[in-house]
Amino acid sequence: MRYLLIIITLISSLYAKEAPFSIIIDEPFNNALLDITEDFDRSMSAVGFIKSYKNGLKESDGIYTNAFDYLASLSNSNGSLIHLVKVGSNADIELRKSIKLSQFAEALGVVKTHDNGYIVAGNTINGSLVIVGLDVNANMIFHKIFGTPNQDKMSKIHLLRDGGVLIIGSSTTSRTDTGNLFQGGLGLNDIYLAKFSMRGEMLWSKKYGSADDENGVDAAEAEDGSIIILGQKNIGREKIPTILRVTQHGEKIWLYDIKGEKNTTAHKILKLRDNTFALSLSQLNDMNKEQIRLLKVDLQQNILLDKTINTNYTSILKDIKEFSDGKIVGVGVVEDQYNSDGLAMLLDSNFKMLAQEHYGSDSRDAFYALKILHNSQIGAVGIHTDKDSQESNMWIVKLNSNLKMAQIFKNGASKANTNTLYAQLLELFRDEIATKKLIIKEDLSIELIDSALYFNVGEFVLTSNQKLFLEKFSLKLLPFLKKNKELFKTLEVSGHTSSEWGMSDFSIGYINNTELSMKRSFSTISYIFNIQNQETKIFLSELLKGSGFSFSKRVIVENREDKERSRRVSFRIIL
């Protein structure tokens, strides 16, 4: 396994010009970060728990004759605290706060509110569930402890489109001979759902299941407002994922078991752009090692795709998200005989693995959740364990979209500068933006959107319209790049194609389109380069990079390829 772990410290920030975006927060006893979100100011916030304990008895505590009295005296003095950490673009910790409740609790999930606050949810130490509202500075606005009279457990929190918050978990059945079956429970454990408003008002709560042992794991919302719940059924030693569809008011529509030959564990459900759902599962192989299993299902219980990713070691994706181009990124854990690492994996829309990276030390490390950020970078959280230690620490990393660790820079070429440069580019090209010639994205990429600037099918030679635009475009862009040359590393010019040309079969079509996309990139680079003076040519020779993406980054509109808009070149400024 591959190991890479950098702790960001004051010393490293003073001497290193760049370092991986990896933060380890070490507190006494076990602690962890279990969920992550992005704030309106583009920082990241993560939640989890830390532990707080009394050091010893005070005189006023008296003498206790049994352990239960002593433990009761500590009930408001020690235990798990909900913990929130906010991290800026340069890996600086902007806020850390613990939320202490009368019934100590661990946070398992977080969502953002409309005013940049937080809704945090988790478990209490006595088997109840808790939801906490925090303002932008993590000050507590409200908290509600809720659940059934039984032992309850939360798994995930999900923000619904109507502004409601859905809690997904489980509740242990406990009923008398005369009790109402549906109030007491249906089996050993049941799927438990509760919906709240942003103000912490419970709108409804319900249980679902059968006579077997079932737990709620995660949820996703369909376009029609119905909700698909991913659950876990346990029958003896047999583990079966289950999916449940309910209305927006919680009425059951159907419940379906996903049976297989091997024990299978449910981890995550994700709504995809085409209104189908991706399920991240793990399934034991013949060597008794868990392997990643990914399913795509629709609203009618049909399994559209079933893919297992086989490796030589235990691999689990605990969270998955979808990029705007349809690729899927997942994070989790990979284990061998001696240790575990945080796992990051990139997949195409058919669950074919495109890349994977392992991050960690020579002890216990894992990722639990991820967030795709506004600039297509990835925030991930989990645990890190120091060498020769048995206690886990909080861990936050930022990855690029190719899964390589993002960098922070001492010289200022960071996200803070990206925001400034983005604003400057918007001002520089405001006329072209207003006349719909181009758009500029926050990752400093520039997309041409005027139909006169697209290529015809199979062609790469520049038209007079394209040449005229590139002359005006370079007259603005190149002086800007020269002015800020200490911040820039590369100006990448990428060629793209649609998928209708040269497709006698897939392999030949891909190679033909790869060549065509590279020719489009070369035509653009060579034209811009040749119309410059000698000084600018020397400058560009150290900055320009050409690439061809074939038809891998087609423009998709309403789930269909826009072939005209796909035949293009794009620009990206890389710091």
Side-chain angles (χ1 to χ4, degrees), residues 78 220 226 238-239 266 301 305 399 478 487 520 535 543 547:
N78 73 91
S226 63
E238 187 178 9
K239 301 170 72 175
Q301 310 174 27
L305 185 61
L399 307 176
L478 298 188
L487 299 179
R520 288 174 176 171
E535 179 187 351
L543 193 70
S547 61

Side-chain angles (χ1 to χ4, degrees), residues 186-219:
L186 306 173
L188 302 174
N189 282 295
D190 300 309
I191 296 171
Y192 179 72
L193 301 181
K195 183 177 178 181
F196 285 82
S197 73
M198 280 286 184
R199 296 184 298 274
E201 303 160 329
M202 181 181 282
L203 304 177
W204 53 260
S205 65
K206 301 196 179 203
K207 282 188 175 187
Y208 313 85
S210 64
D212 298 310
D213 180 15
E214 286 143 325
N215 303 294
V217 174
D218 194 19

Side-chain angles (χ1 to χ4, degrees), residues 397-433:
V397 304
K398 185 185 285 187
L399 307 176
N400 293 320
S401 58
N402 62 0
L403 306 185
K404 302 299 183 182
M405 188 78 76
Q407 303 292 307
I408 57 172
F409 296 84
K410 179 189 173 185
N411 64 5
S414 63
K415 186 64 182 71
N417 271 359
T418 303
N419 287 335
T420 302
L421 295 171
Y422 172 62
Q424 292 175 359
L425 283 170
L426 291 180
E427 177 62 23
L428 184 65
F429 289 105
R430 62 180 177 179
D431 293 338
E432 288 81 2
I433 294 171

Side-chain angles (χ1 to χ4, degrees), residues 390-566:
Q390 303 303 308
E391 295 177 353
S392 63
N393 303 315
M394 292 173 276
W395 189 22
I396 308 171
V397 304
K398 185 185 285 187
L399 307 176
N400 293 320
S401 58
N402 62 0
L403 306 185
K404 302 299 183 182
M405 188 78 76
Q407 303 292 307
I408 57 172
F409 296 84
K410 179 189 173 185
N411 64 5
S414 63
K415 186 64 182 71
N417 271 359
T418 303
N419 287 335
T420 302
L421 295 171
Y422 172 62
Q424 292 175 359
L425 283 170
L426 291 180
E427 177 62 23
L428 184 65
F429 289 105
R430 62 180 177 179
D431 293 338
E432 288 81 2
I433 294 171
T435 55
K436 300 188 184 304
K437 297 285 186 184
L438 56 80
I439 58 173
I440 301 175
K441 298 181 179 179
E442 292 181 357
D443 64 353
L444 305 185
S445 61
I446 303 172
E447 294 283 348
L448 309 183
I449 60 173
D450 185 349
S451 60
L453 304 178
Y454 299 142
F455 290 88
N456 291 326
V457 177
E459 295 184 2
F460 60 88
V461 177
L462 296 177
T463 65
S464 58
N465 284 331
Q466 289 172 317
K467 290 179 179 178
L468 181 61
F469 171 81
L470 290 174
E471 288 177 22
K472 295 179 179 179
F473 177 73
S474 60
L475 280 175
K476 290 186 175 183
L477 181 63
L478 298 188
F480 172 78
L481 296 178
K482 283 185 179 180
K483 180 182 177 182
N484 299 282
K485 62 182 180 180
E486 72 279 359
L487 299 179
F488 296 136
K489 178 181 179 182
T490 305
L491 173 62
E492 183 174 17
V493 183
S494 303
H496 306 268
T497 73
S498 56
S499 62
E500 81 266 37
W501 180 78
M503 290 291 288
S504 57
D505 69 32
F506 180 83
S507 298
I508 295 173
Y510 176 77
I511 296 301
N512 287 342
N513 278 279
T514 298
E515 180 182 14
L516 177 60
S517 65
M518 294 177 71
K519 286 181 175 178
R520 288 174 176 171
S521 171
F522 177 75
S523 294
T524 304
I525 287 176
S526 59
Y527 184 78
I528 291 175
F529 184 85
N530 286 326
I531 62 175
Q532 308 305 320
N533 59 37
Q534 187 66 17
E535 179 187 351
T536 304
K537 286 180 179 179
I538 294 172
F539 170 68
L540 284 176
S541 69
E542 299 176 352
L543 193 70
L544 281 172
K545 173 185 176 182
S547 61
F549 282 96
S550 190
F551 46 72
S552 64
K553 295 185 180 295
R554 292 166 288 173
V555 176
I556 305 297
V557 179
E558 295 181 352
N559 297 321
R560 298 183 64 180
E561 177 186 3
D562 188 323
K563 295 179 180 179
E564 181 187 27
R565 292 172 62 185
S566 296

